[in-house]
Amino acid sequence: MTLQINTLVPHQILLAFLLLLLQAWWGNCHPQCLDYKPPFEPRQPLVFCKEYSKFGCCDLEKDEKLAFRFSTIMGNFDHLGYNICGKYIRSILCQECSPYAAHLYDAEDANTPMRMLPGLCGDYCSSYWHQCRYTLSLLLEDTGSPLQFANLTATLEEDRRRFCDFLELKDKQYCYPNVLTNAELNANLGSVREDPKGCLELCLQEVANGLRNPVAMIHADDGTQRFFVAEQLGYVWVYLANGSRIDRPFLNLTQAVLTTPWVGDERGFLCMALHPRFTTVRKAYVYYSVSIKKEERIRISEFMLSAHDDNQLDHSSERTILEVVEPASNHNGGQLLFGHDGYLYIFIGDGGRAGDPFGKFGNSQNKSTLLGKVLRIDIDNNDDGAPYSIPSDNPFLGENEARPEVYAYGVRNMWRCSIDRGDPLTGSGRGRMFCGDVGQNKYEEVDLIVKGGNYGWRAKEGFSCYDRKLCQNSSLDDILPIFAYPHKLGKSVTGGYIYRGCQMPNLNGLYIFGDFMSGRLMSLKENVITGEWQYNEICMGRDQTCRFPKLINSYYKYIISFAEDEAGELYFLATGAPSATARAGIIYKIVDPSRRAPPGKCSIKPSPVKIKGKLIPFYPKTEFVVNKKPTTTPVPTTTTRKTTTTTKKTPRKPIIIIKPPMPTRRTMRKSQLPKPTAPTRKTIQTTRKTTMRTTALPTTIKATTTIKTTSATTIKPTTLTTTIKMAMTTTPATTTPTGRPTGTPVYQPRFTDYPTSMSTAKLTVRAKTKTKTTSKPAQTLPQGKATTIKAGYRTTIMTTASSRTAQIPIITPSPTRRPLQNPPSTVSKPLTSPRPPPPASTTSSALQMALTSARYLDHSGALTTPRYYWSQKPTVSSYKPHRPLINTTLPKPQEEKLRLGEKLEKTEEGNQIHKRPRGWGTGHGYKRGRGGRRLRVGSVRLVSADGLSDRGRVEIFIGGEWGTVCDDLFTTKAGAVVCRQLGFRTALAVMKRAALGEADRTVRILLDDVECEGGERSLLGCKRSRVGKHNCSHAEDVGVICG
């Protein structure tokens, strides 16, 4: 026996270890598009990127744009070049449509830079380099300034290691093309994700908070997309489609409602329903507890909408529809529903206490009482007569001693019921009524309510017998629940809804419900063939699964109710403290991160609402998954534990932000200036692995200039007074007057002619401009022969690249930045071009980030474009060192001490002179800005340790002092507001966790939770906390990089 135990234990340990590995692997699976949303199935099949027609990130409009770009690029190629390189170009372009596009472009975090091109696998990158490496410049020319990438791509294309360091994605599972062939990744792609135990992984979005036991949420079905939230105390609040709340309550019954602050008190305001024709009938119905002469009752009342305010009921219009005496303080039921037949359904509990001890059979089996029943009444046409009438087809209308209002009986304490809207396409299931019925001490159940049905209580609890004598009665004829679960899963069911919304097609037909005591979320799916319901637990997706903007993966334990909005999207209401007076209630929207509806399908424009009073904006309290710090942080609860759990974010790989080396400007004293010389024609010679020829283009600069080397280019010093002749390098080729190599067939492709074969044949490219050769060719090609890949491939590709890039001057003042600080001097000043780059060990990392943009879709190319400024004062000589490498994530504690202004290594001097504006210090309390002008409230500045004007810690001027801003909720939209205030065009990156410097303790933190739309004039116009109110430290000071 001992031997068997010793042999089994290692297997158990190994099994547990493999399970942990599998869970970790699943946590990394994260289909996501470049708009930071889940993939989708396009409404129309794609034509260009056909492989993503079933599931991906492109609709037909995006597909056509990619096809046009492909056609533009391939227009440079002849037939042979088209066949060889077309497949690479197409595959790279189409990765924007991949369901894993965000991972391929390193765009899973909206606050960090992303790649210009998708990440390739090592083998595929090597093949691409050998076959078509000189096409890299063609792929990049539309994503930024050609000047920005000219030297960079030339350096990359000559070195396979650097080339693939830039393009390769080290994650072998997700890199292209492995991501397409990975069976595990694509097995259930687009389906609701399940963990290894079969639990459905969903996410949440917080939509309201600060509520006191929110018991119900309904909508008016009037096109306004408003929803109405009832609190147990007796308040009903109106929330608009933008999340804001009207400060005046829709209804205030706090003086009449019977409830207490005791935890678990079941009495109070329990439900509300609006008339199905609310826009015309303008009536609302409420269900609440009252005490009349020390007798507890359930009251159902009718209210009219105010004639002066569409967001408030007329409190004086209350009319009692029905009252039922409650023998005990529990089991009050509490549901009102309008069925598709237009009748009002009322769900009342069995009267309380344990085991329904009232009478011989209990209240629930006694049809002469309203307790323990489902009632159906007609409340139309009741203005001048009785408050309600009995529908003619009620099942017990003609039965002796039976109350005519009874629609179904044998229920214990039904808590939260719903009516199925039906399948959006077929209408299947429409009108079905689902209810959760709270059990006694063994089972909780979910029932499908039908007319005249007996649901078994107190004879049965779930599927088992409770009262054995009643259970054995052959006349019971009860209807069994569709699902029942034991108390080890939960002790108080909260009924839910069948999902019929538009935004999450995977959830269609899924019945989602929960348990108040255990906090467990659950689901049922009907098998249409057998009629059976399959159970799956719902758990919160781990950080990587829910890593989408505004999503969270934790919630408060006590699930009070479920709801749906006007569009059919699903919500649940929960609290962290089940007391009628505790402001711990939150409303969560249920989100499936695995698939969304196609863009535009679910777009809704809310009808306008006239507002009287003030709007209270919504500020989420739960930390978004994308904003979680890389440390373990507590969350209120998850679905699988009763105690507080912790979540740890998967650390991102460090992202290095480096700009290319900047030219160094030296200002010489007048006595040191060289004597003016006659204008000299400049020939620029370039050193490459192969012999190159030059093509010169003029750039006018009114200064005597000395030009030195940049990157791999060697330039001899020469002085001139008026012009500089610059050249891009190409290899010799025999050309015709049209600029096309002779002897090569030229093919003008159509964008639908997609390459399918791979070849190593000769390749040529048609140049867009004529090229005039001015130097002696390194080799002579036979007339009429096309150049080969080894000898002439560089020739034709660089002819095209040169025609695009050589026409742009090396030094140009930026139109979006400040102009020259002083007018040009009459004395010429020498300028020097950039110094040689750092050693190769650091160049590859610089190249990797040099083609990385903070926002590829909106601000492509802006991050690394060099901009030059100079002062024409002849007596001033100013130097700035090159910027150090900046790590935006800094996962290690010791690395967090590094700031942007600290030097990581000895660097060369730069050409920029940065002046700190007057009144801009490192402290606070300044009231005057440049030129002594008084600062406005809301003014901002960027504080940088090394005086850089386009980046630094964000500080804002409020109340006569400068203070910092916390990084919570701060995105590039907020960064753009800051940058535009300072005269820049946009924000290239937002740096969190004090990456650009931490203020000292004497500086106050003035703003927190800043959430901007991007068009505000200052941060004070954004959603934010009150000035000076925050829950952060200076370790979370936010910084921005502007451009």
Side-chain angles (χ1 to χ4, degrees), residues 113 143 169 205 375 458 550 555 712 805 815 879 886 894 899 919 1041:
T143 61
L169 188 66
Q205 181 180 346
L375 313 181
R458 71 182 187 189
K550 298 185 178 181
Y555 60 90
T805 60
Y879 304 95
I886 306 163
Q894 60 269 26
R899 299 294 177 239
I1041 300 176

Side-chain angles (χ1 to χ4, degrees), residues 433-657:
M433 191 179 298
F434 293 84
C435 283
D437 198 1
V438 180
Q440 181 64 47
N441 52 25
K442 286 186 177 181
Y443 297 98
E444 307 296 306
E445 65 182 69
V446 177
D447 295 305
L448 192 58
I449 305 301
V450 296
K451 183 169 66 174
N454 178 5
Y455 290 88
W457 176 252
R458 71 182 187 189
K460 288 184 177 179
E461 180 186 11
F463 293 102
S464 67
C465 290
Y466 179 80
D467 186 323
R468 294 194 175 275
K469 290 183 179 179
L470 289 178
C471 188
Q472 294 172 359
N473 190 332
S474 59
S475 63
L476 184 63
D477 192 25
D478 60 317
I479 297 175
L480 296 177
I482 63 172
F483 179 72
Y485 61 91
H487 278 190
K488 67 179 182 180
L489 295 181
K491 298 181 179 180
S492 180
V493 65
T494 301
Y497 281 79
I498 293 270
Y499 179 82
R500 300 297 188 186
C502 173
Q503 296 177 8
M504 288 158 281
N506 278 341
L507 302 185
N508 182 41
L510 196 68
Y511 180 73
I512 298 178
F513 64 107
D515 189 275
F516 174 81
M517 293 299 294
S518 68
R520 194 180 300 270
L521 285 170
M522 297 169 277
S523 70
L524 298 174
K525 183 75 172 181
E526 184 183 18
N527 186 322
V528 294
I529 299 177
T530 63
E532 297 179 351
W533 293 81
Q534 179 183 354
Y535 169 82
N536 277 98
E537 187 174 342
I538 294 175
C539 53
M540 293 295 96
R542 280 151 294 189
D543 287 352
Q544 191 69 13
T545 303
C546 295
R547 195 174 178 79
F548 292 90
K550 298 185 178 181
L551 294 193
I552 60 178
N553 60 354
S554 61
Y555 60 90
Y556 283 141
K557 172 182 176 181
Y558 300 102
I559 302 173
I560 300 175
S561 185
F562 285 80
E564 63 178 1
D565 63 16
E566 195 169 338
E569 301 306 318
L570 201 54
Y571 303 77
F572 71 91
L573 294 65
T575 184
S579 167
T581 58
R583 292 186 177 273
I586 295 182
I587 300 178
Y588 302 96
K589 181 180 179 180
I590 297 175
V591 177
D592 173 26
S594 59
R595 179 191 291 262
R596 60 169 158 150
K601 182 179 180 181
C602 305
S603 57
I604 297 173
K605 185 178 181 180
S607 302
V609 181
K610 293 182 179 180
I611 305 297
K612 291 187 177 181
K614 297 180 180 179
L615 289 179
I616 301 175
F618 166 66
Y619 299 105
K621 293 183 177 180
T622 311
E623 185 180 28
F624 300 149
V625 172
V626 296
N627 290 341
K628 283 188 177 180
K629 308 297 186 294
T631 56
T632 302
T633 54
V635 295
T637 185
T638 62
T639 60
T640 57
R641 290 181 174 87
K642 295 183 179 180
T643 59
T644 303
T645 61
T646 59
T647 307
K648 188 170 182 180
K649 175 182 173 181
T650 304
R652 282 181 59 84
K653 297 178 181 179
I655 300 175
I656 308 300
I657 298 182

Side-chain angles (χ1 to χ4, degrees), residues 800-863:
T800 302
S802 301
S803 66
R804 291 182 173 86
T805 60
Q807 300 177 29
I808 300 178
I810 292 179
I811 301 177
T812 49
S814 171
T816 61
R817 296 284 190 95
R818 291 187 290 275
L820 297 179
Q821 298 174 0
N822 293 284
S825 173
T826 56
V827 181
S828 299
K829 310 292 187 298
L831 296 176
T832 59
S833 63
R835 296 180 180 272
S841 60
T842 62
T843 303
S844 61
S845 62
L847 298 180
Q848 174 66 30
M849 194 53 213
L851 290 180
T852 304
S853 166
R855 277 295 175 274
Y856 169 66
L857 295 177
D858 299 326
H859 313 296
S860 57
L863 182 59

Side-chain angles (χ1 to χ4, degrees), residues 735-764:
T735 59
T736 64
T738 62
R740 180 188 310 135
T742 60
T744 303
V746 175
Y747 173 63
Q748 178 64 38
R750 296 171 299 176
F751 77 91
T752 53
D753 297 329
Y754 309 135
T756 57
S757 62
M758 186 173 182
S759 173
T760 58
K762 299 178 181 179
L763 171 68
T764 59

Side-chain angles (χ1 to χ4, degrees), residues 160 291 765 844:
R160 188 194 63 81
S291 178
V765 177
S844 61

